[in-house]
Amino acid sequence: MVDCRLLILCPVIALEMAGKTMKDDAVRTSDHGFPGIPKLIFLDTNVVQNLHSFGEFIYEDIFDLETDSRMSELGPRFRGDILALANFMALGRRCGWPIAVSPGALGELRAIPQPGKRIALTGWASELAHYFLQNLELRVSAEGSSGNEVERFTLPQRRWLSDLLEVLPQESDRHLIIDALEYGCDVFLTLDYRTIWRYRAELVRFGIRVMRPVELLELIELRACLLR
């Protein structure tokens, strides 16, 4: 059975596959110089993890002293981002969000040493990834694709992109960015402040915006009239 949270997270996958060349950022910019509503949002592994870890608060609006303490222990920036995630998902109950989850996130979650936590998170990530890929196939099929699978980067192309992404010290982070580009995402949502978000300016040239939940919510609020 599909987790009911999936229906809140992404009841509609509005996927528009990008070409294999980097697109002009103006394509993703609406009038008056403000960035438009994201077409497809890639969820970093840490976002997937925290959607589960703080699920009662994010999806059910249950906020108790324990939740408050856990959020506060990780600092004001993290606290602000979890609050933004909750508001973002609350908006999603009305309009749905086009999200993407890479199977690569599963590899990172499988490395968690605690068995109970590992099983819970990999199960949640598997459902998200399956839901995304299922809707991706439906969209491609509806658009008349001759194949059953989405065109992927070739291995040489992934190696070439990995070399271009050498600013990111961790190879796993490079692979996630490449996955996001492969799916045609224009936003990479992360809580990784030390690496991916830190190098966000260097990643703009790839046609993808690396954002924290707080930043994404601010972007959405600029176009809040579209959600009413």
Side-chain angles (χ1 to χ4, degrees):
M1 179 178 295
V2 176
D3 194 312
C4 63
R5 292 172 295 181
L6 297 176
L7 303 179
I8 295 173
L9 181 63
C10 45
V12 177
I13 297 293
L15 178 63
E16 186 168 321
M17 287 301 295
K20 296 308 179 185
T21 57
M22 304 309 170
K23 293 186 175 181
D24 189 337
D25 194 56
V27 173
R28 301 189 179 100
T29 304
S30 55
D31 294 337
H32 311 299
F34 293 116
I37 297 296
K39 296 178 182 178
L40 188 61
I41 303 165
F42 188 94
L43 303 185
D44 196 1
T45 307
N46 46 66
V47 174
V48 173
Q49 181 173 353
N50 281 290
L51 283 172
H52 182 275
S53 298
F54 290 93
E56 287 190 346
F57 167 60
I58 292 172
Y59 295 105
E60 301 175 34
D61 199 27
I62 298 175
F63 189 78
D64 52 24
L65 291 176
E66 180 184 356
T67 301
D68 184 40
S69 177
R70 287 169 57 209
M71 289 169 53
S72 298
E73 284 176 0
L74 294 170
R77 179 165 56 179
F78 179 84
R79 179 187 176 86
D81 278 330
I82 295 299
L83 292 173
L85 265 181
N87 289 329
F88 179 70
M89 293 304 164
L91 286 173
R93 293 187 181 97
R94 288 186 288 162
C95 63
W97 295 121
I99 63 97
V101 176
S102 168
L106 286 168
E108 295 186 349
L109 294 174
R110 288 191 183 108
I112 294 175
Q114 301 94 331
K117 184 177 181 180
R118 180 174 65 248
I119 292 171
L121 286 172
T122 53
W124 166 237
S126 294
E127 289 205 45
L128 281 175
H130 175 74
Y131 190 80
F132 162 65
L133 293 174
Q134 185 178 49
N135 282 275
L136 176 60
E137 291 174 1
L138 290 173
R139 175 62 182 270
V140 171
S141 177
E143 292 179 351
S145 174
S146 59
N148 293 325
E149 295 184 0
V150 175
E151 181 183 357
R152 305 296 186 189
F153 286 130
T154 63
L155 185 57
Q157 286 174 327
R158 292 186 72 92
R159 288 173 177 166
W160 174 69
L161 284 169
S162 182
D163 290 340
L164 293 179
L165 291 165
E166 62 182 357
V167 65
L168 297 175
Q170 296 183 13
E171 187 176 358
S172 59
D173 289 340
R174 297 180 204 169
H175 285 310
L176 290 177
I177 291 290
I178 292 170
D179 287 344
L181 294 173
E182 186 174 67
Y183 291 144
C185 299
D186 54 343
V187 167
F188 187 101
L189 189 64
T190 187
L191 290 165
D192 182 353
Y193 310 126
R194 292 180 296 178
T195 54
I196 294 183
W197 185 75
R198 177 183 176 187
Y199 295 110
R200 61 196 181 281
E202 286 84 349
L203 297 174
V204 169
R205 68 190 181 101
F206 292 93
I208 192 166
R209 291 171 287 178
V210 176
M211 308 184 80
R212 293 168 44 204
V214 163
E215 296 167 333
L216 179 59
L217 185 63
E218 289 175 354
L219 171 62
I220 296 300
E221 287 175 343
L222 287 174
R223 293 288 180 251
C225 60
L226 298 179
L227 305 176
R228 292 173 184 169

